[in-house]
Amino acid sequence: MSKLVSKWNYPTTVRFGAGRISELPDALAATGIKKPLFVTDPGLAKLPVVASTLKILDEAKVPYGVFSEVKPNPIESNLTAGIAAFKKGKHDGVIAFGGGSALDLGKLIAFQAGQTRPVWDFEDIGDWWARANADAIVPIVAVPTTAGTGSEVGRAGVITHEESHTKKVIFHPKMLPGIVIADPALSVGMPAFITAGTGMDALAHCLEAYCAPGYHPMADGIAVEGVRLVFENLPKAYADGKDLTARAHMMSAAAMGATAFQKGLGAIHSLSHPIGALYDTHHGMTNAVFMPYVLAFNREAIEGKIERLAAYCGIKGGFNGFAKAIIKLRKELKVPHTLGGLIKDLDMDKKRKALIADMAIVDPTAGGNPVKLTKKAALSLLENSLSGTV
Ligand code: NAD
């Protein structure tokens, strides 16, 4: 068992440590939830990790319902069905259990079940969140089983708007789970591909938050340590999924990425979002493909910062050394170097490329990129990621 056990209250209450899933009934009581809806995804629902968690609830005589109609990259019909299950079961709170997809959908059910306006009215634009009836939002206990999105400590949920093929971020401060149980033992069963993709997602969050312009030294500090944790532990967790210490550090890095990215994200995400929405690719793995191309594109604006980051992480060679370390890490984790390696039978014509570039430049993350992401730049980054030219 890993000795990494702790409790911290930033940005929310996090009970951290292997085996702490046993505290789920207590966490429910502490958040005032008497009859939770347990939200997970269909893959996880079949795994022992869910069966053993439900057994904990059974033994504590907690009445609950289970909802698992959650697609990777969740869609509105998942939310509608989840709300129906929540209302039918007369639930008073949500256990969001899984990777980013189940965590986001669980949080969105808790947020949206009591609202009267459509969910799209609460997109993360200006103060749209203030339109929501905050009193109708029910409490959430979040339990991550991947180590990447950090959604467990975030105030937003991502959902795909199918008509426009766009990923929308729905935001409300009360979507932040009241208690997180971060139990790295729950993540040992993650397949290597998901370990790699989610771990690279955590890295993308830390890296883009750190590089985003703006004054936020707290986010910068968290992001820098998050990057170090990923470089030191992701290869270990990938090589040996049962390495609980590496899994624990990755679970921390994921939460740190999401805590830091309130400062902003950048072009890795701006390009990854349309690709995920159009081709249903894994979010973190898509970020991993774009990472070196975007890093090179931003060089003039971030060189000094990356030199400091490299030095902190013990990576020699300044900016070039850091860029090489990213490529090496990707290779170790079998991340495809090009988009063609990620998406089977990819055939992008001019029109499709223009559409992706158009979607990227209006993505809410584009504003956080240190160099302005114009349509020309987005097209050029897309071409590079197709040809493999860093
Ligand atoms: P995911 O939740 O889609 O899960 C991927 C796969 O891993 C699923 O098949 C799932 O069943 C499986 N899985 C999860 N945990 C497992 C375990 N312990 N053992 C075995 N299998 C396991 O993947 P993800 O990368 O965690 O989340 C991606 C989603 O999160 C996307 O929809 C993305 O848009 C969203 N996201 C949200 C935020 C946010 O701030 N809210 C940030 C980044 C990404």
Side-chain angles (χ1 to χ4, degrees):
M1 277 293 200
S2 164
K3 290 199 176 71
L4 302 173
V5 179
S6 189
K7 178 186 169 203
W8 56 78
N9 292 303
Y10 177 76
T12 187
T13 300
V14 180
R15 299 184 184 198
F16 191 98
R20 294 195 74 172
I21 191 61
S22 63
E23 295 175 30
L24 184 56
D26 184 60
L28 292 169
T31 40
I33 303 176
K34 292 191 176 64
K35 197 182 181 200
L37 181 66
F38 183 95
V39 179
T40 192
D41 71 55
L44 270 173
K46 293 191 204 98
L47 296 181
V49 85
V50 163
S52 56
T53 303
L54 296 181
K55 196 165 163 238
I56 293 168
L57 295 179
D58 288 333
E59 283 170 357
K61 300 197 170 23
V62 176
Y64 61 86
V66 177
F67 177 77
S68 63
E69 271 170 59
V70 182
K71 237 177 72 51
N73 301 317
I75 52 177
E76 191 178 11
S77 58
N78 297 151
L79 178 59
T80 309
I83 291 174
F86 182 88
K87 288 186 174 162
K88 191 166 175 227
K90 296 192 168 44
H91 296 288
D92 60 355
V94 167
I95 301 169
F97 185 99
S101 301
L103 292 174
D104 279 2
L105 200 83
K107 285 162 62 185
L108 284 165
I109 292 170
F111 167 73
Q112 185 64 19
Q115 304 303 324
T116 49
R117 300 175 72 135
V119 71
W120 311 114
D121 281 3
F122 307 112
E123 200 183 338
D124 189 11
I125 297 174
D127 64 355
W128 283 19
W129 63 270
R131 298 165 164 180
N133 176 3
D135 294 337
I137 305 168
V138 300
I140 304 157
V141 171
V143 185
T145 64
T146 64
T149 71
S151 173
E152 66 275 12
V153 294
R155 300 171 298 169
V158 183
I159 185 161
T160 302
H161 185 257
E162 283 178 289
E163 286 99 85
S164 62
H165 291 289
T166 46
K167 280 192 151 195
K168 303 275 189 197
V169 177
I170 308 301
F171 170 89
H172 195 283
K174 270 186 84 178
M175 229 191 280
L176 180 70
I179 295 186
V180 175
I181 298 185
D183 181 341
L186 301 176
S187 69
V188 297
M190 249 196 291
F193 174 84
I194 302 291
T195 299
T198 50
M200 289 302 281
D201 194 22
L203 180 59
H205 292 158
C206 291
L207 186 61
E208 293 216 290
Y210 175 67
C211 293
Y215 181 66
H216 201 324
M218 278 192 250
D220 288 347
I222 291 168
V224 163
E225 175 65 356
V227 171
R228 184 188 73 80
L229 286 175
V230 173
F231 269 111
E232 290 187 8
N233 294 284
L234 183 52
K236 290 182 194 165
Y238 181 78
D240 174 11
K242 292 194 173 66
D243 182 337
L244 258 187
T245 301
R247 290 288 195 195
H249 285 312
M250 283 309 301
M251 204 162 252
S252 294
M256 291 163 83
T259 306
F261 77 53
Q262 61 172 269
K263 184 183 168 210
L265 287 167
I268 295 175
H269 278 81
S270 323
L271 286 156
S272 169
H273 283 156
I275 295 292
L278 293 166
Y279 297 95
D280 217 6
T281 52
H282 182 260
H283 172 73
M285 204 41 108
T286 318
N287 284 343
V289 172
F290 281 118
M291 196 175 286
Y293 309 105
V294 172
L295 188 71
F297 169 69
N298 287 333
R299 181 172 187 146
E300 62 175 27
I302 57 171
E303 190 155 359
K305 271 186 152 181
I306 294 290
E307 278 170 8
R308 285 201 301 279
L309 176 63
Y312 178 73
C313 295
I315 296 168
K316 292 197 175 71
F319 185 94
N320 288 339
F322 188 82
K324 275 189 198 148
I326 296 271
I327 300 270
K328 181 169 169 277
L329 180 64
R330 272 157 105 245
K331 267 197 191 138
E332 234 174 308
L333 304 174
K334 298 196 171 58
V335 172
H337 186 57
T338 62
L339 273 183
L342 181 72
I343 306 162
K344 217 170 149 248
D345 302 326
L346 181 65
D347 184 17
M348 266 190 207
D349 61 12
K350 223 175 146 186
K351 212 171 135 197
R352 174 55 54 128
K353 288 177 191 168
L355 171 71
I356 292 167
D358 282 334
M359 289 168 82
I361 58 173
V362 297
D363 190 88
T365 58
N369 200 60
V371 176
K372 189 170 167 52
L373 187 68
T374 59
K375 181 164 181 185
K376 195 172 160 218
L379 275 172
S380 152
L381 281 166
L382 190 59
E383 289 295 355
N384 289 349
S385 66
L386 288 165
S387 66
T389 315
V390 178

